[in-house]
DNA sequence: CGAGGGTTTGAAGTGCATCAAATAGTGTGG
DNA sequence: CCACACTATTTGATGCACTTCAAACCCTCG
């Protein structure tokens, strides 16, 4: 497939552009470029002037910020078909986090000015953006709640449930999407804590761990364990299509 | 002032409606009602069907959710001129939190369908909503970061800075907006922890506490203490007009 | 004055972080 | 295919921050 085809196919399928007509989508595609970025490379840095936003075609991207004393706060870790950097249009064109590829990734780079000018005139796109934003807001809401009221093993359980097809009563086989250090950081804990918490989760729910694969006979025990300390009930409606649930 | 005047004056001044013409604003006002609610009363409950959203004219409102095991997660505590409940239009008209008056409050109640239909046609309003949402998103971002990297005394310091006029080098006199138990809950800590953390803050920065009044000779020591562990620098640009800063 | 809330203080426990070291896993060149 | 180096992961020991439970104190208001 040519670059142009990849760009077009990817953009077309995004919820953000779902309501746009072909002409609009083509306009975006024409101005977009496809780029590859190596593992560990930064795409942009917090506070930097923003001119483009991105869509992940392949690979994983880490969004984070750093404090004065050098500690890193992971904001999110995104797989393919996710958009990021677009919110800088509400931020005086300043990126409000840094972005780094955690494994070699392929990205679509789209000029921000296109989105900005489109928003002024295209109410469908604006509404779509609004919906996406609302979804993100809800996710963050949960993250904050979880951080406050769930403990480490429960947060891991919740994270695993998010990765699963989420049918009650079924067995479960999950492959951790990236290395355990990153999962730990994503969940706001130390690698050591992650390791121990996973062991505890094993004891409590009967799940089994082999390397980066997690098996469980029946998802229910995990739901019972993790979702007890959460304000939304299991299938986590309204959130299930996104990476954050529970 | 008549109810209609209060409604009109309040709505007119909201950022959300700043870009709307008088006709639109009048349309909203006509369909709105003014209501009073006693301290401790619920305005609506999480998961309830949503038909109206609200603007605070006077008093304080607590937004929260409860988990199965009964613990409460405070989402926010809002003073006058804040809008809440409006995000349920992105949620199948379900409130995604409960709302309770923490002291007798006066509120404007506006039908959600008005906002919904307006969004389809009025791109100015949609954009304004988008901006408000982006601002909330940023706030939440900070909250999460703070929860991760600031300790209890620092979080209190940050909270106090948010309440102040925020000029460097000046003395400071702050009155805690609501009772200490609530401040503690808002900051995600126990009342006992809050008390102890405040004592520590007193030792570290030289501020003085008399009941619910906080005095400080020079704001700088507080900034130095609290903002060290934060990824944004003091005046907290982009955030200073909202309740969350630092 | 005395009851009852809010607030502070004390003592003990829990959860997570940190530092250090052992072990498992992975890829490399021989 | 093995040995080595290097990294990821686990385990152990200790410390700190916050929570929890309990009791004292303080303040307000009937």
């Amino acid at each position: 497939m040519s670059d142009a085809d990849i760009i077009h196919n990817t953009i077309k399928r995004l919820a953000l552009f779902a309501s746009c007509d072909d002409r609009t989508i083509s306009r975006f595609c024409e101005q977009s470029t496809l780029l590859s970025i190596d593992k560990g490379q930064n795409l942009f840095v917090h506070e930097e002037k923003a001119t483009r936003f991105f869509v992940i075609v392949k690979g994983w991207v880490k969004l984070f910020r750093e404090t004065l004393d050098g500690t890193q706060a992971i904001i999110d870790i995104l797989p393919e078909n996710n958009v990021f950097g677009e919110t800088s249009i509400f931020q005086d064109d300043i990126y409000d986090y840094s972005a780094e590829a955690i494994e070699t990734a392929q990205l679509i780079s789209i000029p921000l000015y296109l989105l900005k000018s489109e928003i002024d005139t295209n109410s469908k796109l604006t509404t779509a953006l609004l919906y996406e934003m609302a979804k993100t807001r809800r996710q963050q809401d949960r993250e904050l709640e979880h951080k406050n009221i769930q403990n480490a093993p429960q947060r891991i359980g919740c994270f695993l449930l998010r990765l699963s097809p989420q049918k009650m009563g079924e067995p479960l086989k999950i492959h951790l999407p990236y290395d355990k250090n990153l999962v730990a950081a994503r969940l706001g804990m130390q690698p050591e804590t992650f390791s121990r918490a996973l062991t505890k989760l094993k004891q409590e729910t009967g799940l089994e761990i082999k390397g980066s694969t997690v098996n469980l006979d029946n998802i229910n025990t995990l739901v019972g364990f993790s979702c007890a300390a959460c304000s939304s009930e299991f299938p986590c409606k309204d959130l299930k299509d996104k990476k954050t649930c529970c």
Side-chain angles (χ1 to χ4, degrees), chain A:
Chain A
M1 249 197 321
S2 74
D3 280 10
D5 287 342
I6 294 175
I7 291 175
H8 196 269
N9 279 333
T10 307
I11 286 184
K12 207 175 52 188
R13 275 179 302 140
L14 294 176
L16 182 58
F17 294 104
S19 58
C20 292
D21 55 41
D22 291 343
R23 289 254 307 280
T24 311
I25 290 181
S26 295
R27 194 139 25 97
F28 273 93
C29 290
E30 280 158 22
Q31 308 250 11
S32 302
T33 57
L34 195 64
L35 58 89
S36 284
I37 177 170
D38 286 342
K39 176 175 175 165
Q41 291 290 309
N42 274 340
L43 199 57
F44 55 77
V45 174
H46 183 206
E47 307 276 67
E48 195 178 295
K49 188 81 185 167
T51 58
R52 310 182 75 90
F53 71 103
F54 302 88
V55 181
I56 307 173
V57 178
K58 222 170 56 186
W60 290 82
V61 172
K62 174 175 87 172
L63 309 181
F64 64 101
R65 264 196 298 262
E66 272 164 0
T67 58
L68 288 175
D69 54 25
T71 48
Q72 240 181 38
I74 305 286
I75 294 165
D76 213 342
I77 295 177
L78 301 172
E80 55 199 27
N81 296 323
N82 274 91
V83 181
F84 63 94
E86 85 284 10
T87 45
S88 42
I89 60 173
F90 308 111
Q91 273 281 67
D92 304 323
D93 292 342
I94 299 289
Y95 288 119
D96 51 353
Y97 41 69
S98 306
E100 176 193 314
I102 60 170
E103 56 183 55
T104 306
Q106 196 172 34
L107 301 163
I108 300 172
S109 159
I110 311 175
L112 270 175
Y113 68 80
L114 245 183
L115 186 64
K116 241 197 276 192
S117 68
E118 198 68 22
I119 275 176
D120 289 335
T121 56
N122 181 342
S123 75
K124 298 262 190 193
L125 182 64
T126 312
T127 306
L129 190 53
L130 203 46
Y131 268 84
E132 290 302 305
M133 198 96 93
K135 214 191 282 178
T136 313
R137 216 184 65 69
R138 247 172 293 153
Q139 270 176 246
Q140 281 184 314
D141 235 46
R142 296 294 163 187
E143 302 265 342
L144 201 55
E145 178 183 308
H146 287 175
K147 188 78 204 185
N148 276 324
I149 55 191
Q150 289 189 321
N151 61 20
Q154 286 172 327
R155 286 216 303 286
I156 296 178
C158 200
F159 180 81
L160 292 176
L161 286 172
R162 258 175 262 158
L163 292 172
S164 80
Q166 302 201 342
K167 293 265 170 57
M168 285 300 274
E170 287 181 8
L172 204 60
K173 189 191 184 85
I174 302 169
H175 190 77
L176 292 181
Y178 32 81
D179 86 46
K180 292 186 180 175
N181 277 327
L182 265 173
V183 179
R186 173 63 240 277
L187 297 174
M189 59 183 85
Q190 300 304 311
E192 297 93 330
T193 303
F194 180 82
S195 173
R196 283 184 252 259
L198 203 52
T199 309
K200 178 137 195 197
L201 198 59
K202 198 161 73 179
Q203 293 160 6
E204 297 279 345
T205 65
L207 58 73
E208 285 175 9
I209 306 153
K210 279 201 196 76
S212 62
T213 309
V214 178
N215 283 297
L216 181 57
D217 290 344
N218 187 332
I219 199 178
N220 295 23
T221 56
L222 190 54
V223 171
F225 179 78
S226 284
C227 302
C230 182
S231 69
S232 78
E233 281 163 43
F234 170 59
C236 307
K237 57 186 156 61
D238 305 320
L239 295 167
K240 57 170 170 278
D241 52 306
K242 253 285 189 172
K243 39 199 184 333
T244 303
C245 121
C246 295

